[in-house]
Amino acid sequence: MIKDFLIISCTGNNDKIGLKINTNFFIHDFQSKINNELLVSNILNLVNKHKVIINKEFSILINSGPGSFSTIRVALAVAKGIEISSNAKLFGFNSLNLPQFNLANIEVLINKNLIEKKLIKPLYLS
């Protein structure tokens, strides 16, 4: 069961990250094009601000597309780095299964098992 999680939805359009801790859900919207430094610094700021401990009980949900090749690759690399360094659980999802980035829709995504543990078959737009 996924309780607390970081969700990264960076596909080159309306890029966002979200953090769910207990019953609270926090969202950060990106106003500019994503790069690895910007994504990592925003994740760190969000995690530190809310005093989150990322460990093996924590989950990371990553949008695997469809979307921009470079943006998805950056997001996947950052998520994989967090997984390796903290032993967090990593799941992928398809953006077509998440019509709107809010907690209710994300919980539907999780409860309907529209996430995959075996990562990742990105869908890039050409």
Side-chain angles (χ1 to χ4, degrees):
M1 180 69 176
I2 296 175
K3 181 183 170 201
D4 296 334
F5 60 83
L6 170 70
I7 182 166
I8 304 171
S9 183
C10 296
T11 59
N13 189 17
N14 297 322
D15 297 332
K16 302 173 189 290
I17 57 174
L19 180 66
K20 180 181 179 274
I21 300 299
N22 300 320
T23 58
N24 300 315
F25 186 61
F26 309 98
I27 297 175
H28 175 78
D29 291 312
F30 291 95
Q31 302 302 320
S32 60
K33 187 174 171 151
I34 296 295
N35 62 46
N36 60 346
E37 290 177 36
L38 180 64
L39 183 58
V40 169
S41 67
N42 280 284
I43 289 172
L44 284 174
N45 288 340
L46 192 61
V47 166
N48 290 335
K49 178 179 179 181
H50 300 290
K51 299 180 175 113
V52 175
I53 297 172
I54 299 177
N55 56 26
K56 65 182 181 179
E57 301 300 318
F58 194 81
S59 299
I60 304 164
L61 308 175
I62 181 78
N63 189 338
S64 60
S68 163
F69 174 81
S70 58
T71 307
I72 292 173
R73 294 292 297 179
V74 165
L76 289 173
V78 169
K80 191 66 177 171
I82 296 169
E83 176 200 30
I84 290 170
S85 65
S86 65
N87 291 322
K89 295 173 260 176
L90 185 59
F91 299 92
F93 69 93
N94 185 309
S95 60
L96 300 175
N97 293 328
L98 186 64
Q100 191 172 10
F101 193 91
N102 60 40
L103 185 56
N105 285 337
I106 295 167
E107 288 178 339
V108 167
L109 185 77
I110 294 167
N111 293 333
K112 287 189 173 182
N113 289 327
L114 296 173
I115 56 174
E116 294 184 14
K117 179 69 176 155
K118 55 184 178 187
L119 208 61
I120 277 178
K121 298 175 186 166
L123 300 171
Y124 305 120
L125 296 177
S126 47

